[in-house]
Amino acid sequence: MLNAAFISIEENILSTLLYVYLAIEVIFYFIFHFHFVPKANEWVEPQPYRDYGKDRCRIVVRILTRVAKLAQYRGQATREGIRDYILGCFDPITPSTTNKEDIVTFSNEKPLSELPGLRRLSTGATSSTLSSNSSQSSSDLCSDDQSDKEEDSQSESARWTIQELGRADLENLLCWACFGKKRERFLEWEEKEMTRTVKTIEERYGLYFEPGSTGRFKARNLSLDDGNSLHRPLLVYLIGMLFHFFGSCVLRMAGFRRTFTSNGLVGWYRSPRNESAAKLLPYLFFHGIAPGCLFFYTPALLFGLFNDGRAQFLFELPNITWRIGFHVLGEKDFVEGVAQLVNSYLPKDQPISLVGHSFGSVPMTWLLHSSLRSRIRHFVLLDPVTLKLSQKDVMVNFLYTKKVNRIRILAGSELFTEYYLRRHFFFYNSELWLEDIPQTTHSLIFLAEKDEIVNAADIKELIDYHKKASPEQKLKLTYWKGANHGHWIGKPSKWREIKESLLEQELSILQEMRL
């Protein structure tokens, strides 16, 4: 009888706990949908354009120049390449009747090579033409010199349009891409820059748009559109916290020390095992979007990539780890925090190796424009998302897709991750242009053929083109046939392959440093 009483009490406790949990989940549901979601959809002032300042026309010309050159490289008509790129930035409002014949020439058409701006692209320009770090490209991209005006005046008989779009549609796209805000928030200089940018598109590429909107397409304005998140129970976030705790315990047992910077960046540091290991390049690792932060990476890092005792830094990016909260560590603070930690533990002139997976390629791109730039001798990208970031693929596959797949479930539809990507992540400061990598840096890129986020074939084409245009750059590509995004994380055979490539390039770097 006493046993039955205990069983009854136990059942009552379990029932009570279940009801309490369900009540908490109901409360969290309302907080999620009526507080978190509206806050996540609030507009945020965009970050300054680091490499372009107020000259927003430059970034448009830089992108379209690359589009034109890659179209020529693959043997595609330049106009078709530009048209496909621009239309890729829009979603159809009505059933699309899009086809190649929608390109319209207004009068006597000239050869594509005679389009203003594109004539210069076909005269043997190398990737340095595209570099934002080059003073020549900085001033020439949107220049108004006499030669440009002469070419522009010759282009009147080569005008063409994209029938599906009107000028208002193009300007709606540029409001987000060049200014990060809606038209009603524009300042006077932004109105002038918008007019100049549209005029530059017309004069350089002969691409004109009829006034108004066709009403057929809507621009994808990432940082202005509302989110596309799915509700997750509070229990999911608690499990994520548990993963983070376990991962932290594993790192501590492996000899890592958790460190904090003055601006809030969290990093893990492990000192070199011995004097011999201290001579190797220190690794700085940046993780991708993942529940539990570094938890799922620890086997690959500890037993595969980082198992040779060298100095190692691991950095946490809490905004992409399924953590509840709207506090964001911006690019400036993140970069300063990384530099602070590196300078705290390493000599001021110590060369370093950056390794990043997926979204981890973004802070690596920021660091190329930081005080650490001259010290970056090795640049290793695993499933990178920063190359051709201004193309539609990453934006659509990650944040706009309605398909239910593992990327959407595990990453793309989580509210706080989406909030960070839509409101605090800016493509114009985060896109990696291969020509921006220092000539002294060895680069290693691993691409998965069936990557669900990026268009791996397009990225491979860009890399192949760049290697031919700039053979002096030290760039190696490994293309994993049949592989998906992040497949390497759970495959020891891939750890060994990556490690071998790392050591092969590092040997060349160390030899160069001795010369």
Side-chain angles (χ1 to χ4, degrees):
M1 187 171 181
L2 186 61
N3 189 42
F6 278 120
I7 293 175
S8 177
I9 292 173
E10 184 178 343
E11 290 177 348
N12 288 334
I13 292 175
L14 291 175
S15 298
T16 301
L17 290 176
L18 178 60
Y19 286 131
V20 170
Y21 166 70
L22 291 176
I24 292 174
E25 285 292 2
V26 170
I27 294 171
F28 180 73
Y29 177 87
F30 283 99
I31 294 174
F32 185 93
H33 287 279
F34 294 99
H35 175 65
F36 289 156
V37 171
K39 183 174 178 59
N41 288 331
E42 291 177 358
W43 178 72
V44 173
E45 184 76 31
Q47 288 182 358
Y49 281 60
R50 182 190 58 230
D51 301 325
Y52 306 96
K54 291 185 177 182
D55 190 359
R56 307 301 166 79
C57 173
R58 273 183 52 217
I59 188 172
V60 174
V61 173
R62 190 179 197 191
I63 292 170
L64 292 181
T65 297
R66 181 178 64 189
V67 170
K69 291 186 74 70
L70 288 176
Q72 294 175 353
Y73 176 71
R74 73 175 70 99
Q76 182 186 23
T78 307
R79 290 181 183 178
E80 289 186 9
I82 293 175
R83 171 188 176 279
D84 290 346
Y85 171 77
I86 293 177
L87 276 181
C89 299
F90 291 81
D91 275 327
I93 297 175
T94 56
S96 177
T97 57
T98 303
N99 54 59
K100 303 291 186 184
E101 284 68 34
D102 282 333
I103 299 178
V104 175
T105 300
F106 282 93
S107 52
N108 297 326
E109 184 171 352
K110 287 189 176 183
L112 293 175
S113 60
E114 295 189 24
L115 286 176
L118 297 188
R119 182 186 307 153
R120 290 187 292 275
L121 295 179
S122 61
T123 58
T126 65
S127 63
S128 60
T129 307
L130 310 180
S131 174
S132 66
N133 292 332
S134 165
S135 60
Q136 181 178 358
S137 62
S138 297
S139 61
D140 289 351
L141 281 177
C142 286
S143 64
D144 293 320
D145 61 27
Q146 188 62 35
S147 62
D148 279 348
K149 292 177 180 179
E150 290 175 359
E151 287 193 3
D152 296 338
S153 66
Q154 296 171 5
S155 68
E156 293 301 315
S157 60
R159 299 201 304 172
W160 62 288
T161 190
I162 300 175
Q163 189 174 344
E164 296 95 332
L165 303 175
R167 178 169 175 146
D169 299 315
L170 176 67
E171 291 180 346
N172 186 31
L173 173 65
L174 295 177
C175 283
W176 163 71
C178 294
F179 306 97
K181 59 177 68 173
K182 294 184 178 180
R183 196 67 174 267
E184 55 265 27
R185 297 179 182 269
F186 269 26
L187 302 176
E188 183 178 354
W189 75 265
E190 292 170 324
E191 281 289 353
K192 293 179 179 178
E193 185 65 11
M194 168 72 83
T195 301
R196 187 172 79 101
T197 301
V198 174
K199 182 180 178 182
T200 299
I201 293 173
E202 293 174 345
E203 294 180 344
R204 279 185 173 266
Y205 307 105
L207 176 56
Y208 288 74
F209 293 88
E210 296 292 338
S213 170
T214 65
R216 294 171 59 183
F217 286 81
K218 179 183 181 298
R220 297 190 196 93
N221 294 336
L222 180 65
S223 59
L224 306 179
D225 293 342
D226 288 345
N228 186 27
S229 61
L230 299 176
H231 175 80
R232 283 167 173 74
L234 178 62
L235 180 62
V236 170
Y237 293 100
L238 295 177
I239 293 173
M241 292 172 60
L242 195 62
F243 283 154
H244 182 261
F245 173 75
F246 287 150
S248 298
C249 291
V250 171
L251 291 176
R252 289 184 189 279
M253 289 188 293
F256 281 89
R257 180 192 317 166
R258 197 179 193 203
T259 59
F260 301 84
T261 65
S262 57
N263 57 20
L265 176 66
V266 178
W268 295 83
Y269 174 70
R270 184 165 70 178
S271 57
R273 183 185 303 154
N274 49 47
E275 291 185 7
S276 177
K279 297 178 181 178
L280 301 175
L281 294 179
Y283 283 149
L284 280 65
F285 179 77
F286 305 89
H287 65 82
I289 297 174
C293 202
L294 290 161
F295 174 77
F296 292 101
Y297 289 95
T298 51
L301 297 179
L302 299 181
F303 304 109
L305 276 61
F306 295 177
N307 62 352
D308 54 8
R310 71 181 67 215
Q312 297 153 24
F313 294 87
L314 312 176
F315 294 94
E316 293 189 4
L317 292 84
N319 300 111
I320 56 171
T321 59
W322 289 28
R323 193 173 300 182
I324 296 175
F326 292 100
H327 175 71
V328 170
L329 194 67
E331 174 187 345
K332 182 175 180 292
D333 288 335
F334 187 92
V335 167
E336 290 178 353
V338 171
Q340 181 181 329
L341 284 184
V342 169
N343 292 329
S344 297
Y345 291 100
L346 300 178
K348 299 296 183 182
D349 58 348
Q350 170 70 58
I352 55 178
S353 175
L354 306 189
V355 183
H357 173 241
S358 190
F359 187 86
S361 59
V362 171
M364 289 174 60
T365 302
W366 298 342
L367 289 168
L368 282 178
H369 302 270
S370 74
S371 60
L372 294 177
R373 174 182 173 84
S374 61
R375 297 170 61 179
I376 301 172
R377 296 300 300 271
H378 206 191
F379 202 75
V380 183
L381 300 166
L382 300 159
D383 301 326
V385 299
T386 52
L387 291 165
K388 298 186 77 172
L389 192 58
S390 53
Q391 302 283 114
K392 67 176 182 178
D393 301 292
V394 173
M395 187 190 306
V396 172
N397 294 339
F398 201 82
L399 293 173
Y400 281 86
T401 183
K402 299 290 185 180
K403 295 179 181 178
V404 179
N405 55 32
R406 70 184 185 97
I407 296 298
R408 176 159 166 74
I409 295 299
L410 292 177
S413 62
E414 196 280 308
L415 175 67
F416 299 99
T417 299
E418 188 179 38
Y419 165 73
Y420 173 68
L421 296 179
R422 285 185 179 272
R423 297 298 185 260
H424 293 276
F425 170 71
F426 303 95
F427 84 93
Y428 46 82
N429 286 346
S430 302
E431 179 163 8
L432 173 62
W433 295 79
L434 292 173
E435 59 269 18
D436 287 350
I437 300 175
Q439 296 293 330
T440 56
T441 299
H442 289 247
S443 302
L444 189 57
I445 302 176
F446 293 87
L447 278 179
E449 180 188 29
K450 296 184 179 179
D451 195 307
E452 300 93 332
I453 298 177
V454 304
N455 187 327
D458 272 5
I459 301 300
K460 183 178 183 300
E461 177 191 66
L462 171 66
I463 295 171
D464 290 341
Y465 164 76
H466 182 77
K467 289 173 68 175
K468 291 182 179 179
S470 302
E472 69 280 2
Q473 280 205 312
K474 307 171 183 69
L475 174 61
K476 179 182 177 182
L477 169 66
T478 298
Y479 195 65
W480 284 320
K481 292 283 188 178
N484 299 101
H485 189 91
H487 81 293
W488 66 272
I489 297 175
K491 293 185 177 295
S493 61
K494 295 301 180 186
W495 306 347
R496 291 189 292 271
E497 180 184 352
I498 296 169
K499 185 67 174 179
E500 289 173 2
S501 296
L502 287 172
L503 294 177
E504 180 184 346
Q505 274 200 338
E506 184 171 7
L507 180 61
S508 298
I509 295 170
L510 294 175
Q511 289 174 344
E512 290 174 4
M513 290 169 58
R514 294 191 189 104
L515 296 178

